[in-house]
Amino acid sequence: MASLRLFLCFFLFTASSVNIVCSRSLQKDHIALFVFGDSVYDPGNNNYIDTISRANYYPYGETFFKYPTGRFSDGRLIPDFIAEYANLPLIPPYLQPGNHEFTTGVNFASAGAGALSETNQGFVIDLKTQLSYFKKVAKQLRQELGDAEAMAFLSKAVYLINIGSNDYVLPFTSNSTVFQYFSKQQYVGMVIGNLTETIKEIHMEGGRKFGFRNFGSLGCIPLLKALVPGNTAGSCFEQVNELAKLHDAALTEALEEMEIKLVQFKYSMHHLNIYLSELTKNPGRFGFKEVNKACCGSGPYRGISSCGGRRGVTEYELCSDPTQYFYFDSSHVSEKANKQIAQLMWSGPPDITGPYNLKAFFQP
């Protein structure tokens, strides 16, 4: 029976040029990684859509890949490190041409995306669309494996999600009037509502193990520090910090509720604010010399999004050693910082990761 199945799978492969999941001898403890989110997790999906929110040019990618991949960093992102720790290859962008292999997972994240469809609408792959892509993948897996085996595969997989920061930053970097119509609590409620609905939809498709990180001091990124008038003391943009704090509390509450109500639902929550607090107090302990200013950009704190000279401002500054900087550009951290955060997400203690760390999710 097993030989017949291998023959059938091989036949399907040769007939359709699609590498069918069952044509591979997946081990019993094999676990895939599926990724949803924004530029913090985008490995290059935006390379394939009509948008200016891209990082497919120098100096992005200069440290590790030695060429720009579309990642908003000098090197690897958090999902890249998580995949490495889980003994998986780099998880590819969903829109990458020719990518039809999902046995190790796939990445749907899009730079600039929000939980709200209105955030950068028309220029990103919003969360709702990312979910629709995942449903297509799940459908393909069910067709190839059968319902029971596909459900088993999807239930063992890990789902990394990081989205919402653009929803909170955009109103202050554009001419938005959203807060004339909604209170901060109402606005956060809409973001959390869309996010939790997406989580529930993934759960219905089979997802059981979810990984998150909170936003911490989102208002302290160089982009927002540069918006504070006369900011010579490194002050943070407190209105965004307030939204981030509301978001973090609401997300934790929502996850705790889903853990009770949804069958076998488990989550890991990296408390980024704990790491950022220690980092700010003692950068040298983490191997950084600069934690306020970006390596690449222009203006105060290099907080103008000009890195690479492709987004309206052609002139920009670039540091000589990104490993000394926590932030690589105005909104995104360096590869070194991504690695430190990924390590904490992977094997941090309960006060850092909540009920589970990600390592526990990948263990048989």
Side-chain angles (χ1 to χ4, degrees), residues 26-89:
L26 297 180
Q27 296 180 357
K28 187 177 181 180
D29 59 353
H30 177 85
I31 298 178
L33 178 63
F34 292 94
V35 185
F36 301 77
D38 52 28
S39 57
V40 176
Y41 283 179
D42 183 0
N45 277 308
N46 276 24
N47 293 350
Y48 308 105
I49 65 175
D50 184 14
T51 180
I52 62 169
S53 187
R54 291 194 186 116
N56 58 347
Y57 49 84
Y58 176 86
Y60 292 107
E62 65 171 354
T63 298
F64 178 78
F65 298 99
K66 307 303 180 183
Y67 66 92
T69 63
R71 291 168 172 82
F72 279 83
S73 181
D74 57 306
R76 290 164 289 184
L77 305 179
I78 290 170
D80 299 322
F81 288 108
I82 298 301
E84 177 186 327
Y85 303 153
N87 295 315
L88 294 171

Side-chain angles (χ1 to χ4, degrees), residues 52-178:
I52 62 169
S53 187
R54 291 194 186 116
N56 58 347
Y57 49 84
Y58 176 86
Y60 292 107
E62 65 171 354
T63 298
F64 178 78
F65 298 99
K66 307 303 180 183
Y67 66 92
T69 63
R71 291 168 172 82
F72 279 83
S73 181
D74 57 306
R76 290 164 289 184
L77 305 179
I78 290 170
D80 299 322
F81 288 108
I82 298 301
E84 177 186 327
Y85 303 153
N87 295 315
L88 294 171
L90 291 175
I91 305 302
Y94 176 77
L95 294 184
Q96 178 176 291
N99 176 38
H100 303 291
E101 168 59 80
F102 303 120
T103 57
T104 58
V106 68
N107 190 320
F108 306 101
S110 169
L116 302 177
S117 297
E118 295 81 5
T119 297
N120 292 316
Q121 191 169 25
F123 299 98
V124 299
I125 310 163
D126 62 39
L127 186 58
K128 184 177 181 180
T129 303
Q130 292 180 36
L131 175 63
S132 72
Y133 290 161
F134 170 69
K135 287 183 176 182
K136 290 181 180 179
V137 170
K139 181 179 180 180
Q140 179 177 325
L141 289 169
R142 286 193 295 270
Q143 291 172 342
E144 294 166 357
L145 297 174
D147 290 345
E149 289 192 44
M151 178 62 78
F153 176 82
L154 292 169
S155 66
K156 287 190 295 183
V158 176
Y159 301 82
L160 279 186
I161 302 177
N162 185 87
I163 202 160
S165 61
N166 290 306
D167 298 307
Y168 299 129
V169 171
L170 187 63
F172 300 100
T173 57
S174 65
N175 294 320
S176 173
T177 58
V178 65

Side-chain angles (χ1 to χ4, degrees), residues 3 11 33-34 67 70-71 80 104 135 155 212 215 219 227 243 249 266 279 324 327 334 357-358:
S3 298
F11 173 77
L33 178 63
F34 292 94
Y67 66 92
R71 291 168 172 82
D80 299 322
T104 58
K135 287 183 176 182
S155 66
F212 305 90
F215 290 145
L227 295 180
L243 287 167
K266 298 178 181 179
L279 174 76
Q324 298 299 311
Y327 293 102
S334 62
N357 58 35
L358 291 177

